[in-house]
Amino acid sequence: MDRNRIALAVTFVVTILSLFVGLINLVSNVSSSKLTKVDAGSGFGTDRLGAALIKIEGEIHSGRSSYDSAGAQTILEQLRSIEDDSNIVGILVEINSPGGSVGASQEIYKELMYLRKDKNKKVVVSMKDIAASGGYYIASAADKIFALGGTLTGSIGVIAIAPNIKGLLERYGVKVRTFKEGKYKDSLSLFRDNTPEEDAMIQKMLSDTYEEFIEDVAKGRNQTVKFVEALAEGRIYSGQDAFRNKLVDDIGGRREALAELSKLCNYDGTLPLFEEEVNPWDRFFQLMQAKSGGFFSGEKAFLQELKRSPVLVLYPHSMAW
């Protein structure tokens, strides 16, 4: 009984603290936004010439963005809302991401290429701390890429990881029965070793995806496949090294990237920058979820930390850049 009361008391205190921290962050985020101009209503909502600011922060995945990750569905909705807006002549994409899932990165890349080639929108990328793997894949769709000197980028490659706990289970006498219909349905299983045939099948899948990655980077950067191959194979680069190897176009941050975007759009001066309005309550509940998730679910917090690693592949059946 005492334990239940203690648990309830701890839960209550943590909830109140989370609310308090969430409100502080909410007020801070709303009040400190001085660099973007957001009109009332949904979307970018501008009636004068300008550029859209798109932020890709955290792990890249399908679905909607969360407090600390970039969801392809959210990013695509933002991009598609401006494709026929004649007042939005350019797009500044700020990337601070170690990569993520294959499909999500491809979708965002293809949408940026469509806006650049078919809708004549100028696209400039500004890399922050990290823009590697899927982050670089997306960046390669831009007309120009800026990186900071200390940005971590590159990592052009594909990886799939499958944990195997067969030995651990055998040690403790635990047996797992698998019922399946389809010879390869449990490939990459946690509970057994892969067969050589399965290894070859998975390697072929990775090779096909890797080739597509390189071809898309070459297309976006207006380089040859051979040029990109020489810089790929998962190598990572600092911003300065990426500049020397022509993976990025210049060294700089938002100021320099926006100046280049204004120049590409033939705009006299600096383009006004517009960012989609974020519902404060959505931001608050996302923050609450992020704050409470780590305390109440140790496993979830552990997996979230793993997601922030350069590998970005966690689960038996997942694949990511």
Side-chain angles (χ1 to χ4, degrees):
M1 194 68 177
D2 290 338
R3 289 184 178 178
N4 290 337
R5 289 177 179 176
I6 293 173
L8 285 172
V10 171
T11 300
F12 177 77
V13 171
V14 171
T15 301
I16 295 300
L17 288 175
S18 296
L19 283 168
F20 182 70
V21 172
L23 287 171
I24 291 175
N25 277 273
L26 177 63
V27 172
S28 174
N29 285 334
V30 171
S31 62
S32 64
S33 180
K34 298 179 180 178
L35 299 180
T36 59
K37 307 179 191 312
V38 181
D39 197 13
S42 61
F44 290 88
T46 175
D47 57 359
R48 64 193 183 96
L49 214 62
L53 175 64
I54 304 293
K55 293 182 178 180
I56 298 176
E57 300 176 324
E59 180 201 358
I60 302 162
H61 56 83
S62 298
R64 305 203 66 82
S65 298
S66 67
Y67 181 74
D68 58 356
S69 67
Q73 181 180 343
T74 301
I75 304 301
L76 292 173
E77 286 175 358
Q78 292 175 351
L79 293 174
R80 287 166 183 166
S81 72
I82 62 175
E83 67 178 38
D84 293 319
D85 188 342
S86 59
N87 288 317
I88 298 295
V89 294
I91 303 169
L92 177 62
V93 184
E94 291 189 340
I95 301 177
N96 192 17
S97 170
S101 71
V102 174
S105 301
Q106 284 182 326
E107 278 195 304
I108 299 171
Y109 166 89
K110 291 182 183 301
E111 185 65 23
L112 285 173
M113 287 293 287
Y114 170 74
L115 292 172
R116 174 183 162 190
K117 299 293 186 180
D118 294 0
K119 294 296 183 177
N120 199 31
K121 307 282 188 186
K122 301 303 180 183
V123 181
V124 173
V125 161
S126 174
M127 294 178 170
K128 302 306 179 186
D129 295 326
I130 182 171
S133 294
Y136 184 78
Y137 194 126
I138 292 170
S140 69
D143 293 285
K144 298 286 183 180
I145 301 176
F146 283 76
L148 300 169
T151 297
L152 178 64
T153 188
S155 191
I156 301 172
V158 186
I159 184 171
I161 291 179
N164 188 325
I165 60 173
K166 175 187 173 184
L168 179 64
L169 296 180
E170 288 177 346
R171 179 178 177 181
Y172 290 99
V174 178
K175 295 183 179 181
V176 176
R177 295 188 299 166
T178 300
F179 303 92
K180 63 181 180 179
E181 188 64 45
K183 182 178 179 181
Y184 306 107
K185 191 59 180 176
D186 64 336
S187 295
L188 296 178
S189 171
L190 280 166
F191 312 118
R192 68 172 179 82
D193 297 325
N194 271 1
T195 66
E197 189 179 4
E198 287 172 326
D199 285 342
M201 179 179 65
I202 293 164
Q203 189 60 52
K204 177 63 167 59
M205 177 183 66
L206 294 178
S207 297
D208 289 344
T209 309
Y210 179 59
E211 289 176 8
E212 187 174 4
F213 192 169
I214 289 177
E215 289 170 1
D216 281 345
V217 170
K219 187 188 304 179
R221 298 292 294 158
N222 295 315
Q223 295 284 359
T224 64
V225 168
K226 186 176 181 179
F227 174 87
V228 178
E229 283 178 337
L231 298 170
E233 296 186 349
R235 295 182 181 89
I236 57 174
Y237 302 87
S238 68
Q240 290 285 359
D241 205 16
F243 173 61
R244 285 190 289 267
N245 284 283
K246 299 182 180 180
L247 285 173
V248 305
D249 298 291
D250 213 338
I251 300 297
R254 177 185 285 193
R255 184 190 301 273
E256 291 78 13
L258 185 56
E260 179 64 22
L261 182 59
S262 302
K263 181 180 176 182
L264 290 174
C265 294
N266 297 314
Y267 187 84
D268 186 15
T270 302
L271 276 168
L273 198 57
F274 295 89
E275 183 178 7
E276 185 178 47
E277 183 179 19
V278 178
N279 186 317
W281 287 110
D282 287 344
R283 183 186 293 275
F284 174 70
F285 286 123
Q286 287 176 355
L287 179 64
M288 283 293 298
Q289 183 182 19
K291 295 292 183 184
S292 63
F295 182 85
F296 292 110
S297 174
E299 181 182 9
K300 180 179 178 182
F302 174 69
L303 292 177
Q304 289 294 333
E305 286 302 316
L306 284 178
K307 283 184 180 181
R308 296 187 182 98
S309 72
V311 175
L312 284 179
V313 181
L314 309 172
Y315 309 111
H317 303 288
S318 65
M319 180 178 70
W321 282 304

